[in-house]
Amino acid sequence: MESATELDANDPLAGFRDRFVHNSSEPELIYLDGNSLGRQPRAVADVLTRIVDHQWSDRLIRGWNEGWLDIAEGVGDLIGELLGANPGEVILAENTSVCLYKVAVAALREQRSRQKVVTDDENFPSDIQILRSACRSAGSGQTVQIVHCSEALDPTSVLVDAIDESTAVVSLSHVTYRSGWRWDLEAVNRAAQDVGALVVWDFSHSVAAIPIDVAAQGVDVAVGCTYKYLNGGPGAPAFIYVSSRRDNLSNPIRGWFGSDKPFDFDHQSPSAGSIQRFLTGTPNVVSAALIQPGVDLLLEAGIEQVYEKSVRLSERFIALCDTQLSEFGFEIRTSRDPLLRGSHVAVFHPDAQAVGLALLNEQSVITDFRPPDLLRFGFAPLYIRFADVDATVSRIIDVVAGGGIDRWRDENPLVP
Ligand SMILES: Cc1ncc(COP(=O)(O)O)c(C=O)c1O
């Protein structure tokens, strides 16, 4: 195995690490949870200062004509560049759950004669709850069918078999939050489009982690969050992508910002024809502005380079787990095929929660735990080094050998 020091020295992305904030009082910290909340880009502080010291403070309401009115679409377009979307196909709004609700109801209302919504058992629980709410709101008696794919040898064929002429909508997380399984975008889109079903993707764990080309891969509708690999900050707004081919889809929560001229204060104002129709109320201007620095960094680095490093980091981690951790009961639960995973690796251990807490509290390694027995290790290539991978594995060994599991077995924090 090549030395981590050499790999880091030759890494074309190495310089990006310093463009994120690292707390100098925790120099040993290894942060492997960018799949949950990305690190803070340094440039965020300047953006915030500009808003607080100049825009909100001095410009006040004039800010709306000086950039605020267009911010949801402007930052949306930048995210669209990462996704291969055309300008005007992506917009920021609320959070992933609400965005999913909006596009799911829109899709279901276009497919009233079809009764089934297909999703899988690895989908994010909020997504499944939202799909059920969307069915109730669409009002045509549609129901959600959860296809059990997670234990299947060939999940794609199990899923595709469930998609038929009665399917209104297929909705999946492109990369699943637990195991990190990656669906084949094109295969699922093709299967759905062949029978006239619409696919609504959740890109939360794939945007800025793996290359996506919505135009080439036939994506009609997607949503995703911006606080993971996009580094947009806690609670940052989510995004909605609707292909311009799908301009028949309309926002079920009509509000003043969904029209071209909200400040006409017209009771009847028509819905905007553009992606702006998916807005409802006032955009989160401050949070939207804070997303841009992270997106800028990713565009500068280039998603292909980011992905290439992500694969190398996770391949190294998987290899070290196999050789050094399997004897302690750790097992890789993410696909070993890089084309079938995102940028996090899930590892099983019977005491996964205690291992995670010991890593956090005794070893300065932040991962996260997903019940009942998985630890997730997220590799965000703009700030994770190859040396971090090696150090993580040796700190895990220290936890196991040093009795860390017993010290943390009885803890149960609110956020795991
Ligand atoms: C795949 C996926 N979808 C949706 C969500 C929920 O996002 P939000 O809280 O922004 O609605 C998450 C949160 O982590 C997620 O991982």
Side-chain angles (χ1 to χ4, degrees):
M1 187 176 268
E2 275 181 90
S3 100
T5 318
E6 249 168 62
L7 289 173
D8 284 323
N10 296 323
D11 172 13
L13 297 182
F16 282 92
R17 182 177 160 81
D18 285 340
R19 294 168 72 183
F20 290 85
V21 178
H22 300 272
N23 182 355
S24 57
S25 68
E26 287 187 296
E28 294 298 312
L29 182 72
I30 299 177
Y31 186 67
L32 297 178
D33 218 357
N35 52 309
S36 182
L37 173 69
R39 271 193 180 277
Q40 183 184 322
R42 280 190 188 281
V44 161
D46 294 337
V47 174
L48 196 55
T49 303
R50 201 166 65 229
I51 294 172
V52 171
D53 287 354
H54 304 292
Q55 296 183 357
W56 180 14
S57 49
D58 302 345
R59 302 307 297 158
L60 292 160
I61 192 88
R62 291 169 288 189
W64 285 111
N65 287 322
E66 295 169 2
W68 295 351
L69 210 48
D70 303 323
I71 197 159
E73 204 169 335
V75 179
D77 277 344
L78 294 176
I79 295 172
E81 279 186 45
L82 284 171
L83 297 173
N86 298 313
E89 289 184 322
V90 178
I91 195 148
L92 295 176
E94 294 97 10
N95 49 51
T96 313
S97 303
V98 174
C99 289
L100 178 62
Y101 174 83
K102 288 178 168 182
V103 293
V105 174
L108 287 168
R109 287 188 176 157
E110 285 298 313
Q111 304 273 71
R112 284 181 202 277
S113 60
R114 293 163 173 253
Q115 290 305 296
K116 191 164 70 173
V117 174
V118 172
T119 187
D120 75 309
D121 57 338
E122 274 263 313
N123 202 356
F124 194 66
S126 180
D127 287 26
I128 293 176
Q129 291 160 17
I130 292 289
L131 292 172
R132 289 188 176 128
S133 301
C135 285
R136 287 191 291 275
S137 301
S140 303
Q142 290 145 326
T143 54
V144 176
Q145 178 187 345
I146 300 175
V147 184
H148 291 267
C149 302
S150 56
E151 307 284 318
L153 281 179
D154 181 359
T156 306
S157 69
V158 175
L159 182 92
V160 163
D161 281 351
I163 302 172
D164 57 24
E165 311 275 329
S166 71
T167 307
V169 167
V170 178
S171 187
L172 301 169
S173 292
H174 182 197
V175 170
T176 63
Y177 80 106
R178 278 170 55 79
S179 74
W181 165 261
R182 186 204 313 188
W183 290 108
D184 180 337
L185 269 187
E186 285 166 83
V188 174
N189 285 338
R190 217 175 309 115
Q193 285 157 8
D194 281 352
V195 293
L198 265 168
V199 188
V200 174
W201 288 101
D202 180 342
F203 285 164
S204 293
H205 285 275
S206 56
V207 61
I210 59 180
I212 295 174
D213 187 336
V214 285
Q217 293 175 300
V219 179
D220 283 319
V221 184
V223 296
C225 81
T226 61
Y227 47 75
K228 300 180 190 290
Y229 296 103
L230 284 168
N231 309 302
F239 65 86
I240 293 176
Y241 158 81
V242 178
S243 160
S244 49
R245 292 187 305 277
R246 297 292 174 184
D247 58 4
N248 54 329
L249 296 179
S250 61
N251 181 358
I253 315 180
R254 279 295 317 279
W256 66 320
F257 267 84
S259 68
D260 281 326
K261 295 190 172 164
F263 291 92
D264 277 2
F265 302 103
D266 179 355
H267 293 185
Q268 306 297 337
S269 66
S271 168
S274 67
I275 189 71
Q276 199 186 325
R277 68 191 185 280
F278 278 97
L279 288 183
T280 300
T282 310
N284 297 312
V285 172
V286 180
S287 309
L290 300 189
I291 296 172
Q292 187 168 339
V295 183
D296 285 345
L297 287 175
L298 284 149
L299 287 170
E300 185 184 330
I303 189 65
E304 295 291 343
Q305 292 233 74
V306 169
Y307 176 61
E308 202 235 322
K309 183 175 170 191
S310 150
V311 171
R312 290 166 73 214
L313 289 166
S314 45
E315 296 282 81
R316 188 176 185 90
F317 179 70
I318 290 171
L320 290 173
C321 279
D322 285 344
T323 52
Q324 300 186 24
L325 298 181
S326 56
E327 64 183 288
F328 301 114
F330 293 90
E331 285 171 27
I332 299 296
R333 286 292 164 85
T334 299
S335 175
R336 286 161 188 277
D337 179 348
L339 291 176
L340 298 180
R341 63 172 188 256
S343 207
H344 76 263
V345 175
V347 179
F348 161 87
H349 189 276
D351 294 308
Q353 183 164 25
V355 174
L357 288 170
L359 282 171
L360 172 72
N361 293 298
E362 299 179 359
Q363 298 286 342
S364 287
V365 178
I366 300 184
T367 65
D368 64 23
F369 165 69
R370 287 296 171 264
D373 49 25
L374 288 183
L375 282 174
R376 301 188 306 177
F377 296 84
F379 298 102
L382 292 188
Y383 50 80
I384 300 296
R385 299 166 297 197
F386 291 92
D388 295 327
V389 173
D390 292 19
T392 298
V393 172
S394 66
R395 292 187 205 180
I396 293 173
I397 295 172
D398 288 348
V399 161
V400 178
I405 294 180
D406 292 334
R407 284 190 289 280
W408 295 97
R409 205 186 291 282
D410 297 328
E411 296 289 317
N412 203 0
L414 220 46
V415 179

